[in-house]
Amino acid sequence: MQRAAHKVLTAAAEMVAGDIYFLPRHGEYLICFDCQGLHYEYRRVPHTEGQKMINYLKFNSDMSLTEKRRPQLGAWQFKHADQTIHCRLSAVGDYRDRESLVIRLLYPHAQLKQGYFFADQWQRISQACQQRGLVLFAGPMGSGKTTAMYHFARQLTGKMVLCIEDPIEIQEERFLQIQVNDRADMTYEQLLRVALRHHPDVFIIGEIRDTGTAQIAVRAALSGHLVLSTVHARNVYGVYQRLVNLGVDEQELGQVLNLISYQRLLPTIQGDQRVLFDQVVGWDQEALRRPQAGMTTEWRENLARCQQAGWITPQTVATFQEG
């Protein structure tokens, strides 16, 4: 099972798949990959073999082997082509008590840096991270937000970096990493309150998802910290609206906000993926007056530049026109 599981992981990594799915079917398991939003069937295996592979992966991810119905989360890493790929696992049983497993693959930060379209966008984030304040990353799942956050945090030499995530996705020995555990009453909000007493220079907050976390993140930025976090929103303008809806004071947000960076992974004609950013620097007074606005003018101009340079197809431009 170890060889079989690693064969699946290796095949997914070679395709730069974002997710691996073990899906129960009648008497068998379907193993498929998600690549650039498209699903590819890798193979089908007998149910017994599929369950053994799932058990092997769960065991290595510190998940309970006896629990096959309730949701479980785990983390692991493996080596591929001299690179360490981090895995985030999620298991749950269906109504027939047949277990499914999804593995999110998180690739090295160096791979992301090599895969951007425009260097000035990357530099803009780097400059924002040199200042105290709030830097926010947005984009759909699998777009590389966490990988980007960790890359820029690693560049901050001589700084004490404290991470709070649910779960920890990327292991970094130089950072103090704390994991959310709701069952142990260790929520984002509670951990942030405790973490402030450690006097870090930089916070990485896995996700601003509720009022308490949003307000403490802004408060930490106001008190002189650099705070990096993600926010679920469809575009950069949606991030403003999301934070205000979570109760963040507009004037305080205006004081601390360095940059909002929305990102997507675009398939290229060469067959790989590159990151295109849509960014707004600092506080945009007009943003809250247009909550339904889509992407910025710069986003559409950059899409056109990518097509003119022969990097992406007209179909890709049409697909990603609205982010």
Side-chain angles (χ1 to χ4, degrees):
M1 284 306 102
Q2 178 180 356
R3 289 195 299 270
H6 278 269
K7 186 176 180 180
V8 173
L9 292 168
T10 299
E14 288 176 349
M15 293 180 65
V16 197
D19 296 284
I20 303 172
Y21 295 85
F22 287 79
L23 303 175
R25 294 293 185 262
H26 183 67
E28 62 182 5
Y29 268 95
L30 168 63
I31 303 174
C32 55
F33 304 152
D34 183 286
C35 301
Q36 304 174 14
L38 299 176
H39 283 256
Y40 296 91
E41 180 175 329
Y42 171 65
R43 60 179 297 203
R44 293 172 182 263
V45 299
H47 186 275
T48 302
E49 181 181 341
Q51 188 62 67
K52 286 181 179 179
M53 274 196 278
I54 289 175
N55 287 343
Y56 170 78
L57 294 164
K58 287 172 61 179
F59 175 79
N60 284 280
S61 306
D62 293 324
M63 300 163 71
S64 171
L65 298 183
T66 57
E67 179 58 71
K68 300 185 183 299
R69 185 177 60 178
R70 293 186 176 89
Q72 289 193 79
L73 298 175
W76 191 35
Q77 61 185 38
F78 73 100
K79 293 282 188 179
H80 172 69
D82 296 326
Q83 294 181 325
T84 299
I85 299 176
H86 296 268
C87 303
R88 187 176 65 186
L89 290 81
S90 174
V92 68
D94 66 8
Y95 74 102
R96 295 180 177 177
D97 291 337
R98 300 179 304 180
E99 192 169 26
S100 64
L101 180 71
V102 180
I103 305 173
R104 168 61 52 86
L105 302 181
L106 302 167
Y107 295 93
H109 66 277
Q111 182 172 322
L112 175 64
K113 185 177 180 182
Q114 294 166 358
Y116 59 77
F117 285 102
F118 303 111
D120 61 318
Q121 293 188 322
W122 193 265
Q123 187 62 31
R124 193 177 295 163
I125 303 175
S126 182
Q127 291 172 352
C129 292
Q130 299 301 319
Q131 312 166 41
R132 293 173 295 177
L134 186 62
V135 178
L136 298 174
F137 297 82
M141 292 181 63
S143 58
K145 301 184 295 296
T146 300
T147 304
M149 281 199 302
Y150 269 81
H151 169 81
F152 291 107
R154 286 186 177 105
Q155 309 312 303
L156 303 171
T157 57
K159 300 290 186 181
M160 174 7 182
V161 181
L162 191 151
C163 312
I164 301 175
E165 295 183 74
D166 180 21
I168 296 295
E169 295 187 359
I170 298 175
Q171 296 180 23
E172 175 53 67
E173 294 296 328
R174 294 189 292 119
F175 300 165
L176 176 58
Q177 296 179 291
I178 307 173
Q179 186 163 291
V180 170
N181 187 337
D182 291 326
R183 288 181 295 180
D185 210 23
M186 296 168 61
T187 64
Y188 266 117
E189 183 177 357
Q190 291 163 326
L191 289 175
L192 272 168
R193 293 184 189 278
V194 173
L196 283 169
R197 300 172 193 158
H198 280 66
H199 305 293
D201 301 300
V202 182
F203 275 111
I204 290 180
I205 302 172
E207 180 186 344
I208 294 177
R209 60 172 65 166
D210 55 44
T211 298
T213 305
Q215 293 178 344
I216 293 176
V218 171
R219 196 177 311 152
L222 284 168
S223 63
H225 299 83
L226 170 63
V227 180
L228 311 180
S229 187
T230 70
V231 177
H232 279 293
R234 294 185 63 183
N235 49 60
V236 288
Y237 298 123
V239 173
Y240 289 105
Q241 193 68 45
R242 175 68 174 153
L243 292 174
V244 172
N245 288 344
L246 288 174
V248 174
D249 182 83
E250 293 181 32
Q251 292 185 345
E252 290 184 351
L253 186 59
Q255 291 182 54
V256 301
L257 188 58
N258 293 349
L259 177 74
I260 298 174
S261 185
Y262 177 92
Q263 63 188 74
R264 293 300 307 266
L265 280 170
L266 274 59
T268 70
I269 291 176
Q270 292 74 25
D272 61 356
Q273 298 179 86
R274 295 192 197 178
V275 180
L276 183 63
F277 299 98
D278 196 21
Q279 299 169 326
V280 174
V281 178
W283 175 250
D284 186 341
Q285 295 286 352
E286 298 296 319
L288 292 173
R289 299 175 186 168
R290 51 175 187 271
Q292 303 304 319
M295 310 301 287
T296 65
T297 301
E298 182 183 11
W299 172 265
R300 295 185 175 87
E301 291 174 348
N302 283 332
L303 278 177
R305 288 173 61 192
C306 290
Q307 181 183 344
Q308 291 168 3
W311 297 331
I312 63 175
T313 66
Q315 181 181 1
T316 298
V317 173
T319 300
F320 290 91
Q321 193 71 219
E322 299 302 324

